[in-house]
Amino acid sequence: MSSPSPTVNQREKYQDQLPSDPKALDNRFPLYLGDWVKSDPRKDDDLAMDNMDEPHMKRKLAILKKHPEIEGLYGHDSRTSLITIAAAAAQVYFAYLFGRVWTETFWGFVAFAYVVGGSITALYGVLIHEATHNHAAPTVFLNKLVGLTANIGIPVPIYASFRRYHLEHHTYQGVTGMDPDLPLEWEKKMIRGNAALKLLWLFIYPVMYVVRGAAMKKKPSTWEIYNIIFTVCSDALVVKFCGLRGLLYLFVSLWFGYGLHPGAAHFIQEHYTFDDGQETYSYYGILNKPYMNIGLHMEHHDFTKVAWSRLPKVRAMAPEFYDSMAYHTSWLLVHWKFITEPGYGPQSRLGRSMEDHKAARKQVGKLRRADEHAYEEMALDAQKTKDD
């Protein structure tokens, strides 16, 4: 008996509500689903490959043509700053308790670090993500301060590096050698579809953030250096007031919260290919409440200017573009299916070359001209290319 699927697909239900403009320029229009087949680690050594650009810029144009009111959702949510301060204070307080008060317990330490500390640390990832996209405060500088504040409860300097590489991920999604979110060669070759190795791989996933960033071979940016100094100072203060055991609590919470934890399942949910032709997935489940809608990843990639609190409105305004895509309803099932089924592994991702990405991106200018004349021109260009 096969394990339950974490994905839901209602594409046929919404077919009649989608735009029916000519597909002369990009045959993925309007949902921008590819015609590629997902990679299977039982028989494939590498990623599935596409010869088009990442889909979200063009999806945004298609959605805005039909739902221009979505632009009214753009902007930050200042509540994010308050949540960040509260979360940082809570985790430091717990570090103090385990470092200075509850010093005799071991299993209580471990259980609390997983259930509470890991959950808060997973939330830090969401807060850092919001600050990265300038959704937490009105200026870029204030957002960077919010990101550093979220980093107080994480004993390694994450924020500035995440900001740098995550924005590159949005720009070059799936572009091999450019998207730092893609698995490295040794991950694909060593892990494949083996359940035990996938379990271990997810357990050490916090390390992969460091390793993949280092693999980009870039010099630290100014803000990454600031982040290192800031974190060294904050760690020193934690040791001074909470003791080494308090700092250990933060490390263990980080390991749990970014590894085998329900709040970390979105790392697999977001871009690991559970369906042919679709490279980004949303999660519509109960854990979006405490984790600030981080599961709405399709909506986020389509509209990066929309803060977490308004992402559900994007889906509500354009259900034909989202409910017609495959999506997840359980993070627990995402982990379960990914680990237990041999047809999924690190290479269950989509890749594309920079050349193909750039060539397909040249179509965007014409797509922005959303009128009948533009579509007629697109059709003529496509026919000319075909004739040549």
Side-chain angles (χ1 to χ4, degrees), residues 67-119:
H67 301 284
E69 66 275 12
I70 289 177
E71 289 187 329
L73 301 176
Y74 292 179
H76 72 284
D77 187 333
S78 295
R79 292 176 297 174
T80 307
S81 300
L82 300 177
I83 296 171
T84 301
I85 294 170
Q91 190 72 323
V92 171
Y93 174 68
F94 294 139
Y96 171 79
L97 289 180
F98 282 104
R100 299 299 190 191
V101 182
W102 300 333
T103 59
E104 302 300 322
T105 176
F106 173 75
W107 289 113
F109 174 96
V110 173
F112 195 93
Y114 184 86
V115 176
V116 178
S119 298

Side-chain angles (χ1 to χ4, degrees), residues 86-259:
Q91 190 72 323
V92 171
Y93 174 68
F94 294 139
Y96 171 79
L97 289 180
F98 282 104
R100 299 299 190 191
V101 182
W102 300 333
T103 59
E104 302 300 322
T105 176
F106 173 75
W107 289 113
F109 174 96
V110 173
F112 195 93
Y114 184 86
V115 176
V116 178
S119 298
I120 294 176
T121 303
L123 178 61
Y124 287 149
V126 180
L127 295 166
I128 287 172
H129 177 263
E130 289 298 302
T132 291
H133 287 285
N134 300 321
H135 292 162
T139 68
V140 173
F141 178 73
L142 288 176
N143 275 282
K144 289 180 178 180
L145 293 185
V146 172
L148 291 177
T149 302
N151 209 147
I152 291 174
I154 299 177
V156 296
I158 286 179
Y159 162 67
S161 294
F162 177 85
R163 184 180 193 278
R164 179 182 190 178
Y165 293 120
H166 183 71
L167 295 178
E168 289 183 359
H169 160 67
H170 273 273
T171 303
Y172 301 112
Q173 179 181 315
V175 177
T176 54
M178 295 298 293
D179 183 354
D181 195 51
L182 292 176
L184 303 175
E185 287 300 318
W186 71 264
E187 296 177 72
K188 294 179 286 186
K189 292 178 180 178
M190 182 182 297
I191 309 300
R192 302 189 72 89
N194 184 283
L197 291 178
K198 284 187 286 186
L199 190 68
L200 177 62
W201 179 68
L202 288 174
F203 183 70
I204 66 167
Y205 211 76
V207 177
M208 299 315 305
Y209 265 84
V210 178
V211 173
R212 289 177 183 171
M216 302 303 289
K217 298 180 179 179
K218 294 184 178 181
K219 293 182 179 179
S221 67
T222 300
W223 273 92
E224 284 179 298
I225 294 172
Y226 292 162
N227 199 165
I228 292 171
I229 296 170
F230 179 86
T231 301
V232 169
C233 293
S234 63
D235 286 354
L237 290 173
V238 169
V239 171
K240 177 178 175 61
F241 292 104
C242 306
L244 285 173
R245 198 166 187 266
L247 184 65
L248 178 63
Y249 166 78
L250 296 183
F251 271 106
V252 175
S253 296
L254 170 62
W255 196 273
F256 286 150
Y258 273 54

